[in-house]
Amino acid sequence: MRHSNSTEQRAPTEDAALNFETVLREEEKKRGICSNTRQDAPAGLALSGGGIRSATFSLGVLQALAAEKKLASFDYLSTVSGGGYIGAWLTAWIHRSGFSAVEAALAARGSGNARMPGSTEPEPLSWLRRYSNYLAPRAGLFSSDSLTLVTTWSRNVLLNLIIVIAFFSALMLIPRLALPCVGLLTWIHPDEMGVLAASAGMLSTLAVLWNFLLIDRPPGDDPGRTRCRLCARRGVALTVFFPGIVAAIAGSIWLWGRKEAFENDVWGFALHAPLLLLPAWLIWLAVELWRAFHAAAYRSAPWERVNTLARHAGILALAGIISSAIGAGMLACVHHGFVFRAALGGSTHGPYAFLFTIGPAAFLAIFGVAGSIYVGLAGRVYREQLREWWSRMNAAFLVIAAAWLSLTACAFYIPALAEWAYASSGPWLRSAIGASWLATLAGMLLAPKNTWLTRRAQEHMRIVLNAAAIVFMLGFVIAVSVATEALLSTAGNIARTPVASRVESSDINPRASGYTGPGAFIAARQTDLDQLLNLNKDKALPFLEGAFIVTLAVLLIFGWRVDVNRFSLHNLYKTRLIRCYLGASNAKRHAQPFTGFDENDDLPLAALAPEGEKLAQRPFHIINAALNISQGKNLAWQERKAASFVLTPLHSGFELAKTQGETTEKHARQMFSATQADGLQRNNEPEWPAYRPTRQYACLDQEDRAFSLGMAIATSGAAASPNMGYNTNPALAFVLTLFNVRIGRWSPNPARDKWKRASPGFGLICLLQELFGFSNEQSNFVYLSDGGHFDNMGIYELVRRRCKVIWLVDAAADAQRGFEDLGRAIRLCRIDFGVEIIIDLNDMRPAQEKELPCAAFAKGVIDYSAGETGTIIYIKPTLCHGKREPIDVLNYSVKNPSFPQQSPGDQFFDESQFESYRCLGEHIAEQCLCKHRDTLP
């Protein structure tokens, strides 16, 4: 795909640059994807997700189409997940042997009444039978294939655990390192700390006022003024929350740092707190008075506006005084419990730890609560938009307080409380708690998706698994906290010199002194903390600082060297898919004797569309993946949490629909303007921000040959991933990342400058994003997973290309016949493209429970609007009423009642299972062709 540098051919028009789908569709037509007689009426074949079940069933469909010489009727082949397995098998075979030879070989056995006895099937198909158990072809728990899977997964889990544990350990060391600073600050004169707290609080209040003045603008004022950077999330965090945190730390030290200073200060604070709001109140009043006399857009007369302002000013002043007084009273109540520090024994840093844990968290929480009271008292003075702003700010303060309390409690108190709980419980209770915690993990990782459950039962199961994920996540954090404390204590005890001065465990063991309450365990841990902080003070590198540096070094080194893609399950999954589905057509295959893999099985995805003006291979393969947007800015992402990401021989990338956001459109305008300004075009390629030439996409890699066909189908089939589109759950993402159930891939963002890099250079950030279920479309690298996490049918991209005929093979598990995936795809096409798909599925539903449907396929209409229509043929694995399927298929269904809707978790097919699905697909497709052959040219 080369273009000259001339003005006429260099750059698309601005409209074309913003309408990516039109530009790409025209480019695909130029490369001969649609025959000359069907330029405006392309046909597409969609193979759905469903793992090896979908691949094997679709194989039978392909054989039936080839026998009727209808395989050449399709211009596009759109695949998702398991459909991509067999789609890549067909594509690679066509690339190596030619379309005519492949179609003839697939049809060699004939179909229906034309079946030729004694004929043999082609070698690529026989290869699939041998490798139907593609993950571990050699059966047996102790076979080399099975052991390789276990050892590879164990290695990656170990590397993941090192990074994650180092991350949480480093976090829990930070509060310990801050304690000496807290101790020094408590000896600063209270008045100085009070001034710092008041200044920070006033700065935060003025920032709030700034936002309010921009939001509450006069009628007719420029709405663009609200787009000030200080009003964005980062600006609010910098100007409101950061000063608020400083005020909370300084205020807690001012009130509680020195015991004798508190009694008078708390009531002084209650009296003087409203004075902190006075400057902001005066500025607001002055601005509103100026607006009343100068804003011509106000309908009321200026003096009427002044009267209203006077009433509002009085209400706001009263609300400020009352809410401040309530806040001060709440602080006094918190201080009343602060005497608990006296029960911490003779620890030097115990009071500082308690202050650092409770003080800032209490201040931040009270900021949020008092703010809510203030808004309530202000009542109708604030409009709904301002009340919403207050709600978000108050919620943010509460979240920060909870995070602060959680981190400091894990550093100072959770290990001691866990030790107390362990010492107080009996062996049976300990065993039960430990077994239950491990059982939650086993339930999440091993529980299959039972497609026979009703929707309500599946929803209940999802809730239970989410709750189990939260329980396990909390248990893991507690375990890391306890382990960090134990390692510090052990290392500190070893490091003490001379040997005679080492503190034995009995010296700080509460049980040795007869005390069994939690306070005794906390006192013992904080005595040990005193010794760690005092350890080696005369040396250049104190103990805790050294421990933090070592932990941080482990985190950074492993986060840098452990590639986030190569040490996930992605490569293990990819190599086995390549061996099974792409190695089948490699006639010159020379496998490595020890591993059994041949790197020549795979081929570059761009090889399917040769450089220059040569025709691309037909059917043009569209491999669908999901770009995860679990934390996007647009509200449309709240349910979808993903967008369509396509990998084709010509282009790879995505375009957000108008209902999803403006990211690609804004970037397009910026890039188009830059291209117009310099008159140049990089690499002589058209610059479409969300799409890039596949030949160059992710090409800067020393190991892989750009984006290959095997890499594409593995990405499209990454069903088990921490980020799973609309199924993403942060707690479950934590568990899946921790135990390396990560088949997805971090790929370069086509809309960013680093789109040629194959993998993140520093994968720690991406791994943490997976850990917390965070991903978006704006970073340099985006997280791609199973295309079924967006559209499991594969028709979304065919509708985008306005195909007039679509044959859809839906092999997704659907025992309840709810057609959920089809319904979602139809909904997406209606919302994003304005295309209506109408199809009657009544014959495909059983008339009564436990009965079989009457049909396994249906015909529908695609309404593209403006009189433009198309046809959709829908095929689904089904045993029909009357049981006219082949006898061996019916025999298999008797022995396996869930057939043909077996769990997608079953990726280990044996010969009879493989043949049953293949034969059923061929049988249903033959019947469908008999009735709807005329839909294909």
Side-chain angles (χ1 to χ4, degrees):
M1 186 178 62
R2 297 290 179 184
H3 293 259
S4 65
N5 287 329
S6 63
T7 304
E8 292 78 15
Q9 296 180 344
R10 175 183 57 79
T13 64
E14 183 172 2
D15 290 338
L18 297 178
N19 192 354
F20 306 126
E21 60 187 64
T22 301
V23 176
L24 295 180
R25 193 162 62 245
E26 291 300 321
E27 186 66 25
E28 290 170 0
K29 288 181 180 180
K30 290 179 183 178
R31 300 298 296 272
I33 293 167
C34 300
S35 63
N36 293 331
T37 59
R38 296 206 311 276
Q39 283 288 327
D40 296 321
L45 174 62
L47 305 180
S48 78
I52 192 173
R53 179 188 61 251
S54 175
T56 311
F57 179 83
S58 298
L59 170 61
V61 175
L62 293 175
Q63 286 183 282
L65 290 169
E68 296 293 332
K69 305 298 181 184
K70 292 296 185 179
L71 202 55
S73 301
F74 295 102
D75 305 291
Y76 290 101
L77 173 62
S78 178
T79 63
V80 183
S81 190
Y85 301 174
I86 202 66
W89 172 81
L90 177 67
T91 296
W93 192 8
I94 293 174
H95 178 75
R96 287 164 173 156
S97 302
F99 183 86
S100 299
V102 171
E103 187 175 51
L106 279 175
R109 296 180 62 192
S111 66
N113 296 328
R115 192 177 304 280
M116 295 176 291
S119 61
T120 58
E121 62 187 12
E123 173 59 22
L125 201 156
S126 298
W127 180 277
L128 291 186
R129 291 187 189 277
R130 293 196 296 272
Y131 282 88
S132 61
N133 190 0
Y134 69 95
L135 288 175
R138 291 176 178 84
L141 181 61
F142 296 102
S143 68
S144 59
D145 288 329
S146 299
L147 292 176
T148 300
L149 291 176
V150 174
T151 54
T152 302
W153 175 77
S154 301
R155 177 200 66 192
N156 294 345
V157 168
L158 175 62
L159 294 173
N160 271 12
L161 285 174
I162 291 174
I163 296 174
V164 174
I165 291 175
F167 171 75
F168 280 104
S169 295
L171 281 182
M172 294 173 189
L173 284 172
I174 292 175
R176 293 180 172 91
L177 293 173
L179 273 191
C181 298
V182 175
L184 292 175
L185 290 175
T186 57
W187 291 101
I188 297 177
H189 194 278
D191 291 342
E192 297 178 6
M193 295 305 298
V195 170
L196 176 61
S199 301
M202 191 174 298
L203 179 62
S204 180
T205 303
L206 292 176
V208 172
L209 174 64
W210 170 263
N211 282 272
F212 272 26
L213 292 176
L214 288 181
I215 295 173
D216 192 22
R217 57 184 182 276
D221 198 5
D222 181 15
R225 291 178 58 192
T226 60
R227 296 183 179 179
C228 172
R229 289 187 177 182
L230 293 179
C231 294
R233 291 185 178 181
R234 292 183 180 179
V236 173
L238 181 64
T239 59
V240 176
F241 298 130
F242 179 73
I245 294 173
V246 173
I249 297 174
S252 58
I253 294 175
W254 171 52
L255 288 178
W256 301 324
R258 300 179 68 181
K259 183 178 180 180
E260 64 275 6
F262 174 77
E263 299 299 337
N264 295 326
D265 285 342
V266 67
W267 301 114
F269 172 75
L271 295 175
H272 292 87
L275 297 178
L276 299 177
L277 306 177
L278 182 60
W281 182 81
L282 292 175
I283 293 173
W284 171 82
L285 185 60
V287 171
E288 291 298 321
L289 282 171
W290 184 87
R291 285 178 175 177
F293 285 96
H294 292 84
Y298 282 125
R299 295 181 180 179
S300 58
W303 289 110
E304 294 179 3
R305 178 69 178 166
V306 170
N307 291 332
T308 302
L309 282 178
R311 185 174 68 256
H312 287 180
I315 294 173
L316 293 179
L318 180 63
I321 293 172
I322 296 175
S323 60
S324 299
I326 292 176
M330 295 172 67
L331 288 174
C333 294
V334 174
H335 176 265
H336 181 71
F338 197 71
V339 296
F340 175 74
R341 63 181 180 177
L344 299 180
S347 172
T348 302
H349 294 90
Y352 303 149
F354 195 80
L355 169 63
F356 195 55
T357 301
I358 300 299
F363 259 87
L364 292 169
I366 289 171
F367 286 166
V369 174
S372 300
I373 295 173
Y374 173 77
V375 174
L377 293 174
R380 298 177 182 176
V381 173
Y382 288 145
R383 294 184 294 109
E384 181 59 34
Q385 192 173 7
L386 296 178
R387 289 195 296 269
E388 175 66 23
W389 199 97
W390 267 108
S391 298
R392 290 180 180 269
M393 184 189 69
N394 296 334
F397 272 124
L398 292 174
V399 169
I400 296 172
W404 184 287
L405 183 63
S406 300
L407 178 60
T408 52
C410 284
F412 298 128
Y413 299 107
I414 294 299
L417 294 176
E419 185 181 0
W420 166 74
Y422 181 84
S424 302
S425 60
W428 285 103
L429 182 58
R430 298 172 193 168
S431 301
I433 293 175
S436 300
W437 183 59
L438 294 176
T440 60
L441 174 64
M444 286 179 291
L445 298 181
L446 302 179
K449 182 180 179 181
N450 193 338
T451 57
W452 292 93
L453 294 175
T454 63
R455 286 189 177 182
R456 177 172 295 183
Q458 290 181 5
E459 184 63 28
H460 291 167
M461 178 65 72
R462 189 178 298 112
I463 293 173
V464 170
L465 291 178
N466 291 341
I470 294 174
V471 170
F472 181 84
M473 181 176 64
L474 294 176
F476 176 80
V477 174
I478 292 173
V480 172
S481 175
V482 172
T484 302
E485 178 72 20
L487 287 174
L488 284 176
S489 299
T490 302
N493 195 39
I494 294 174
R496 291 186 181 97
T497 55
V499 176
S501 65
R502 293 183 182 175
V503 179
E504 301 298 334
S505 59
S506 61
D507 294 333
I508 59 173
N509 189 349
R511 287 175 291 181
S513 58
Y515 294 102
T516 58
F521 283 84
I522 293 174
R525 290 296 99 203
Q526 292 185 343
T527 300
D528 192 39
L529 179 61
D530 284 344
Q531 295 170 350
L532 292 177
L533 288 170
N534 294 327
L535 187 63
N536 297 337
K537 278 190 174 181
D538 57 333
K539 295 186 178 181
L541 186 63
F543 178 80
L544 279 179
E545 284 79 352
F548 179 76
I549 292 173
V550 170
T551 305
L552 188 63
V554 170
L555 176 65
L556 296 179
I557 292 174
F558 276 82
W560 169 46
R561 296 306 303 164
V562 178
D563 189 278
V564 70
N565 287 326
R566 292 192 175 94
F567 290 95
S568 68
L569 290 180
H570 176 80
N571 274 16
L572 181 146
Y573 178 58
K574 177 188 71 176
T575 54
R576 282 148 181 80
L577 283 177
I578 291 172
R579 176 179 60 184
C580 177
Y581 290 96
L582 303 186
S585 57
N586 185 6
K588 299 180 180 179
R589 192 171 194 274
H590 296 289
Q592 207 280 337
F594 184 66
T595 64
F597 293 99
D598 183 357
E599 62 179 9
N600 293 319
D601 288 344
D602 200 4
L603 55 103
L605 183 58
L608 305 177
E611 289 189 86
E613 299 298 328
K614 297 180 181 179
L615 299 181
Q617 179 176 308
R618 295 180 65 250
F620 187 71
H621 198 170
I622 302 171
I623 302 173
N624 298 272
L627 186 156
N628 284 270
I629 314 176
S630 59
Q631 298 294 330
K633 294 181 178 179
N634 193 278
L635 295 179
W637 294 324
Q638 291 183 121
E639 180 180 349
R640 297 186 183 187
K641 298 182 181 179
S644 175
F645 192 103
V646 295
L647 298 157
T648 75
L650 285 176
H651 307 101
S652 296
F654 68 100
E655 178 187 0
L656 297 182
K658 293 180 180 179
T659 55
Q660 291 177 285
E662 300 177 329
T663 301
T664 52
E665 182 176 343
K666 289 180 179 178
H667 202 72
R669 294 184 184 277
Q670 296 171 0
M671 186 171 290
F672 178 79
S673 301
T675 304
Q676 291 286 74
D678 58 26
L680 298 175
Q681 193 172 34
R682 302 174 186 175
N683 302 316
N684 294 325
E685 296 287 356
E687 292 283 6
W688 298 320
Y691 293 95
R692 297 291 181 177
T694 299
R695 190 169 301 279
Q696 295 177 304
Y697 178 66
C699 63
L700 299 181
D701 195 305
Q702 298 177 354
E703 183 175 332
D704 296 316
R705 298 169 294 181
F707 224 97
S708 69
L709 180 59
M711 189 184 301
I713 63 171
T715 303
S716 174
S721 300
N723 291 274
M724 298 182 287
Y726 55 86
N727 288 322
T728 301
N729 178 277
L732 188 58
F734 185 96
V735 178
L736 294 178
T737 303
L738 191 66
F739 289 94
N740 200 46
V741 186
R742 302 166 45 237
I743 307 180
R745 180 177 182 84
W746 286 95
S747 296
N749 189 342
R752 294 293 178 262
D753 296 334
K754 297 181 180 179
W755 60 276
K756 289 187 177 182
R757 294 178 55 183
S759 191
F762 185 66
L764 175 62
I765 303 301
C766 293
L767 183 65
L768 294 179
Q769 284 182 274
E770 283 190 74
L771 188 70
F772 297 110
F774 179 92
S775 58
N776 59 41
E777 85 296 354
Q778 296 181 335
S779 54
N780 288 327
F781 287 85
V782 294
Y783 191 75
L784 305 183
S785 65
D786 194 307
H789 296 155
F790 179 75
D791 166 31
N792 200 39
M793 297 290 95
I795 63 173
Y796 186 86
E797 292 297 330
L798 296 180
V799 171
R800 185 197 293 275
R801 289 159 174 79
R802 306 185 80 81
C803 289
K804 291 302 180 66
V805 178
I806 297 177
W807 275 52
L808 168 58
V809 180
D810 176 10
D814 187 14
Q816 300 297 325
R817 292 285 160 167
F819 303 100
E820 181 179 354
D821 291 335
L822 177 62
R824 181 181 297 109
I826 291 174
R827 189 180 307 116
L828 291 172
C829 292
R830 181 192 302 121
I831 295 172
D832 293 352
F833 305 130
V835 174
E836 191 71 47
I837 299 177
I838 305 169
I839 185 169
D840 185 359
L841 301 177
N842 285 329
D843 288 342
M844 298 184 68
R845 292 188 175 95
Q848 295 181 5
E849 190 177 355
K850 296 183 179 181
E851 285 190 0
L852 294 175
C854 296
F857 52 87
K859 182 180 179 180
V861 176
I862 308 172
D863 184 2
Y864 287 107
S865 71
E868 183 182 358
T869 61
T871 302
I872 183 170
I873 303 298
Y874 179 67
I875 299 175
K876 196 170 184 66
T878 307
L879 296 178
C880 295
H881 182 73
K883 295 187 176 182
R884 295 182 177 88
E885 293 79 16
I887 187 63
D888 59 316
V889 174
L890 294 176
N891 172 260
Y892 183 83
S893 68
V894 172
K895 294 182 178 180
N896 300 272
S898 60
F899 175 85
Q901 304 295 334
Q902 290 166 306
S903 170
D906 181 8
Q907 296 293 297
F908 301 89
F909 272 27
D910 54 26
E911 183 182 41
S912 58
Q913 191 174 14
F914 178 92
E915 179 59 16
S916 297
Y917 275 101
R918 187 209 65 79
C919 189
L920 180 64
E922 187 178 29
H923 170 77
I924 294 175
E926 288 171 356
Q927 291 186 326
C928 185
L929 280 167
C930 289
K931 191 172 183 178
H932 301 301
R933 181 183 287 105
D934 59 336
T935 61
L936 294 175

